[in-house]
Amino acid sequence: MSNISIKDDEVDIVIGALEPDLTYFLEEWRPVFSRFHLIIVKDPDLKGELKIPEGFNLNIYTKSDIDRVVGSSPISFSGYSCRYFGYLMSRKKYIISIDDDCIPARDSKGGLIDAVAQHITNLTTPATPFFFNTLYDPYCEGADFVRGYPFSLRTGVDCGLSSGLWLNLADYDAPTQALKPENRNSRYVDAVLTVPAGTMMPLSGINIGFNSELVGPALVPAFRLAKEGKFRWETVEDIWSGMCVKVVCDHLKLGVKSGKPYVWRKERGSAIESLKKEWEGVKLMEEVIPFFQSIRFSEEAKTAEDCVAEIASLVKEQLGPLNPMFARAADTTVEWIKLWKRVRAQ
Amino acid sequence: MSNISIKDDEVDIVIGALEPDLTYFLEEWRPVFSRFHLIIVKDPDLKGELKIPEGFNLNIYTKSDIDRVVGSSPISFSGYSCRYFGYLMSRKKYIISIDDDCIPARDSKGGLIDAVAQHITNLTTPATPFFFNTLYDPYCEGADFVRGYPFSLRTGVDCGLSSGLWLNLADYDAPTQALKPENRNSRYVDAVLTVPAGTMMPLSGINIGFNSELVGPALVPAFRLAKEGKFRWETVEDIWSGMCVKVVCDHLKLGVKSGKPYVWRKERGSAIESLKKEWEGVKLMEEVIPFFQSIRFSEEAKTAEDCVAEIASLVKEQLGPLNPMFARAADTTVEWIKLWKRVRAQ
């Protein structure tokens, strides 16, 4: 699919293991993943030995590794957040991360869709955040810039993050999923687009790729709900870190792409059960979004690290008084930047 | 396709006739157009009698009608701009306009795509310009708002304009078309999205629908190139009026959607020939786009008419000194608003 030539060793596939048996997951992905190095991070809350099939080039991190590296930090890497420990430990330029309840999607002819190749294409071709192209990503094969698109903006900018999508079980929140339990996403939209600068979006962490050198520290495991669960609809950590990445990319003149690749999301959990216990994430979004929309960085903020430090201060100051969850997010962010620097200095 | 119930008599289909024989065009569209009232405006430069098949409910306007209504105004309705005379004369809420070198696109099973129904769906379902939904238009059948999308923004806003796309001959500018003469658009992207607020886009006038009550006067035939031709790539009138509509919609909190429906664009003209004579439109875009990106309306601007009057002043003041074409566009815009009001007062 991709004609982009990057070396396989520039890529880490980071998988958070929320279930111990990864056999089915990894066998399904074998044709795609086997060329690459994998980082598997076991949810520190997960009991039992991981089951991982042979034939992969990988590192496994567990609770003892997390404790050794992170020490007494207030950052929690439990549940979906365990993958952030993988982001922290990776030394590769590109990181691809896919939830362990997803398998490769298939095209209309039954062919396997190579999500990694598509993420790499998205990340290594220019993004166009400053003007919308009606034919979507002009760098896709067969596409181009349409009439009226200014020539001065056609070179585009570097892409920081690629947000992929899902077929079958879509990434709805618990109320939506509970209201429409039969809803499945069957629409395959054959497009990638750059989400325009200044526009906020709900990033889903289910299926993403990013350039760790450009935006790595902005994927911060900062926003943990008090009763965070082990299903996607019980979490907002990815939405929050997606907001961080988006405002950072807008400030640093980088792009965020959304669309292809798709993965196939299997069923897991009961939205009705989740709905009973958790509405907090949905409610907090009403504060979170206007906050991120209002962020303006200082001119001194030249890197993702600089920007994330400014986000931490703004969260503390503006959101902190509203809810202790926000104050904790600010503190965690400060710790995350320290940790990111420390691990990279070793 | 659409379950939206609007009355057929709320819609005008406006066709600019740039060629005298509309037989093939109208026969191809008969299954779609025959329910609706048509307004056909003959390019005042076009010689010969129009050939129009029987069985349509229509009004035809020619040069004598234009002269009668418009008198000695500086507005030119020649070439692609003749359709704006149709927009002016229509009294319907919704206007759909399709170039006379386009026929209905067909889906993968050979079924005809009803572009009018899709435009009406786009125009009568809410738009979501203030936050991007990764599954595209949440009001499409089978779609919804994804996790993290704030509930307070889910009701959306009214849609002002629906910008459709094209299969086969894409809408490139003359240089792109000349550089890649074999390029054809074969990618059918099964999506509609709201172009986010604050994001500018190159509107193509080939295949559009709009709510004339909300944004009608913003579709202004103001920007005429000195050597404007009779092929799309020799014009920018639609790009300019699209910029007007977009900034007006952003200010009035209305949406602009882009994507489906597709039409099938036939071949017409030679990009190489056009390239020899015309680069002006492409060059002027470099001034036009930052100008429109910088527009901020006053609080007094409450309607599209108010906004367009402010655009005219700003164009005169900021762009006028750069090129006489811009000064003329400002004057034409002022005349257009007068004309729009006068015709509606009759």
Side-chain angles (χ1 to χ4, degrees), chain B residues 220-267:
Chain B
V220 43
F223 199 55
R224 237 190 133 62
L225 299 172
K227 295 175 192 163
E228 181 162 313
K230 302 287 181 186
F231 303 117
R232 270 287 174 211
W233 50 57
E234 298 173 354
T235 68
V236 287
E237 44 77 27
D238 52 345
I239 309 289
W240 178 278
S241 73
M243 299 266 162
C244 292
V245 171
K246 188 61 172 63
V247 292
V248 167
C249 283
D250 286 354
H251 176 72
L252 299 179
K253 301 200 189 314
L254 301 169
V256 172
K257 294 185 185 173
S258 181
K260 294 191 294 182
Y262 282 84
V263 296
W264 185 268
R265 250 186 119 210
K266 293 184 297 166
E267 318 289 310

Side-chain angles (χ1 to χ4, degrees), chain A residues 182-327:
Chain A
E182 304 304 319
N183 245 16
R184 292 295 174 275
N185 188 34
S186 59
R187 189 192 306 264
Y188 179 83
V189 175
D190 183 15
V192 174
L193 56 85
T194 299
V195 183
T199 299
M200 298 306 290
M201 64 182 291
L203 180 76
S204 163
I206 292 172
N207 166 27
I208 61 168
F210 58 95
N211 182 321
S212 186
E213 292 175 6
L214 294 177
V215 304
L219 284 112
V220 43
F223 199 56
R224 238 193 132 61
L225 299 173
K227 295 175 192 164
E228 181 161 314
K230 302 288 181 188
F231 303 117
R232 269 287 174 211
W233 50 57
E234 298 174 352
T235 68
V236 288
E237 44 77 27
D238 52 345
I239 309 287
W240 177 279
S241 75
M243 299 265 163
C244 292
V245 171
K246 188 61 174 61
V247 292
V248 168
C249 282
D250 286 352
H251 176 73
L252 299 178
K253 300 201 189 317
L254 302 169
V256 173
K257 293 185 188 175
S258 181
K260 294 191 293 181
Y262 282 85
V263 295
W264 185 269
R265 253 187 115 210
K266 292 184 297 165
E267 318 287 311
R268 189 155 83 175
S270 153
I272 307 286
E273 284 306 307
S274 297
L275 194 57
K276 282 183 199 155
K277 63 179 173 180
E278 192 52 80
W279 265 90
E280 195 182 20
V282 167
K283 283 177 284 185
L284 290 172
M285 279 303 115
E286 302 296 327
E287 312 284 353
V288 165
I289 284 151
F291 165 76
F292 277 101
Q293 284 173 330
S294 76
I295 287 182
R296 300 292 174 273
F297 294 101
S298 76
E299 281 185 27
E300 287 71 49
K302 305 282 191 203
T303 66
E305 269 177 33
D306 299 341
C307 292
V308 175
E310 293 193 7
I311 292 173
S313 308
L314 292 168
V315 170
K316 183 123 207 158
E317 184 186 308
Q318 294 177 24
L319 292 180
L322 302 179
N323 191 312
M325 206 110 39
F326 292 127

Side-chain angles (χ1 to χ4, degrees), chain B residues 2 4-15 32-39 57-59 86 89-98 114-121 123-124 208-213:
Chain B
S2 157
I4 308 298
S5 71
I6 67 150
K7 296 191 191 106
D8 292 354
D9 67 5
E10 288 185 88
V11 178
D12 266 333
I13 314 275
V14 173
I15 306 299
V32 174
F33 286 177
S34 56
R35 292 161 50 195
F36 299 102
H37 180 253
L38 272 65
I39 291 180
N57 169 20
L58 51 78
N59 283 118
M89 301 309 284
S90 170
R91 288 298 172 280
K92 305 292 172 64
K93 182 169 182 179
Y94 300 106
I95 293 178
I96 314 290
S97 186
I98 295 171
D114 184 342
V116 174
Q118 181 70 50
H119 276 305
I120 291 173
T121 300
L123 292 169
T124 52
I208 61 168
F210 58 96
N211 182 322
S212 185
E213 292 175 5

Side-chain angles (χ1 to χ4, degrees), chain B residues 305-325:
Chain B
E305 269 177 32
D306 299 342
C307 292
V308 175
E310 294 193 6
I311 293 173
S313 307
L314 292 167
V315 170
K316 183 123 207 160
E317 184 186 308
Q318 294 177 24
L319 293 180
L322 303 179
N323 190 313
M325 207 111 38

